[in-house]
């Protein structure tokens, strides 16, 4: 049984269609598609136990990050794995910096270390492994005040729509200076932003 939980119905439909297109590769796997939040799913009485749970770039949107992570862990059978993929490196540092200035009820400004902190505090002798991918993204346009492309890129990384227009000048400067000085490297005429990802494999022994 593969249970897919995704509150954005259109995205869930895309996955459902992909499954149908690749059905010959799934070999008798039964799918259960749920267009609800993970919190809504966890509150349901029919909650099941799983051998593996995958939360890929989704913990940013958990309403109660710590409790949801712990509830997912409790849904694992003995020997099961909770897999998370989150921002790491420069991008994690950057979104944490943005979170010092902005709050959003729908979004947590976090990265991999937030998950590590939770499991190390809440699960004695937890066993987990990790794989990190080094990624770099050209953000040179972000530092050209008139660049429309740069504005779009900044919106994506800050998770704030129209950041350049909405942010107070002092805050905007502090955040962009931090991005350039602490999270980027220069390569010839380009400014490259460190957008690493890290996977955690958390085992329930």
């Amino acid at each position: 049984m593969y249970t897919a939980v995704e509150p954005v119905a259109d995205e869930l439909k895309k996955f459902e269609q992909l499954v149908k297109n690749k059905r010959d590769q799934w070999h008798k796997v039964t799918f259960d598609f749920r267009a609800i939040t993970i919190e809504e799913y966890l509150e349901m009485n029919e909650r099941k136990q799983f051998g593996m749970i995958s939360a890929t770039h989704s913990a940013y949107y958990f309403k109660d990050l710590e409790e949801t992570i712990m509830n997912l862990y409790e849904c694992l059978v003995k020997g099961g794995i909770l897999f998370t993929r989150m921002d790491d490196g420069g991008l994690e540092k950057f979104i944490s910096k943005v979170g010092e200035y902005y709050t959003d009820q729908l979004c947590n400004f976090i990265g991999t270390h937030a998950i590590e902190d939770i499991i190390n505090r809440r699960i004695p002798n937890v066993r987990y492994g990790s794989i990190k991918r080094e990624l770099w993204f050209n953000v040179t346009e972000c530092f050209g005040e008139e660049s429309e492309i740069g504005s779009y890129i900044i919106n994506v990384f800050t998770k704030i729509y129209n950041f350049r227009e909405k942010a107070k000048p002092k805050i905007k400067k502090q955040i962009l200076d931090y991005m350039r000085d602490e999270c980027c490297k220069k390569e010839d005429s380009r400014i490259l932003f460190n957008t690493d990802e890290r996977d955690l494999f958390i085992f329930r022994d």
Side-chain angles (χ1 to χ4, degrees), residues 64-159:
D64 186 327
L65 175 67
E66 184 159 335
E67 288 309 307
T68 301
I69 289 294
M70 291 306 301
N71 284 334
L72 290 174
Y73 183 80
E74 292 298 323
C75 285
L76 293 172
V77 299
K78 187 175 180 179
I81 300 172
L82 172 58
F83 169 84
T84 69
R85 174 172 292 169
M86 300 285 286
D87 295 328
D88 202 81
L91 182 52
E92 180 180 19
K93 288 168 57 179
F94 178 68
I95 59 177
S96 295
K97 186 69 174 179
V98 173
E100 294 178 11
Y101 298 94
Y102 295 94
T103 58
D104 187 338
Q105 293 182 341
L106 301 177
C107 178
N108 301 304
F109 294 95
I110 59 168
T112 305
H113 287 87
I115 309 299
E116 280 188 309
D117 289 345
I118 290 168
I119 62 172
N120 283 318
R121 278 191 294 103
R122 296 286 301 271
I123 311 171
N125 303 313
V126 65
R127 186 168 62 94
Y128 68 94
S130 69
I131 297 174
K132 184 172 181 174
R133 283 173 301 286
E134 183 177 308
L135 303 167
W136 296 89
F137 188 85
N138 187 349
V139 294
T140 309
E141 295 270 6
C142 294
F143 302 96
E145 194 66 32
E146 303 302 319
S147 172
E148 186 175 358
I149 293 174
S151 294
Y152 291 146
I153 295 171
I154 292 171
N155 291 347
V156 170
F157 287 133
T158 61
K159 306 183 190 301

Side-chain angles (χ1 to χ4, degrees), residues 12-27 29 31 33:
L12 191 65
K13 287 178 181 177
K14 290 178 185 177
F15 181 57
E16 189 171 359
Q17 186 59 51
L18 180 63
V19 168
K20 289 178 180 178
N21 293 342
K22 304 282 186 178
R23 58 183 175 273
D24 293 342
Q25 300 178 20
W26 287 100
H27 304 295
V29 176
F31 284 83
F33 300 97

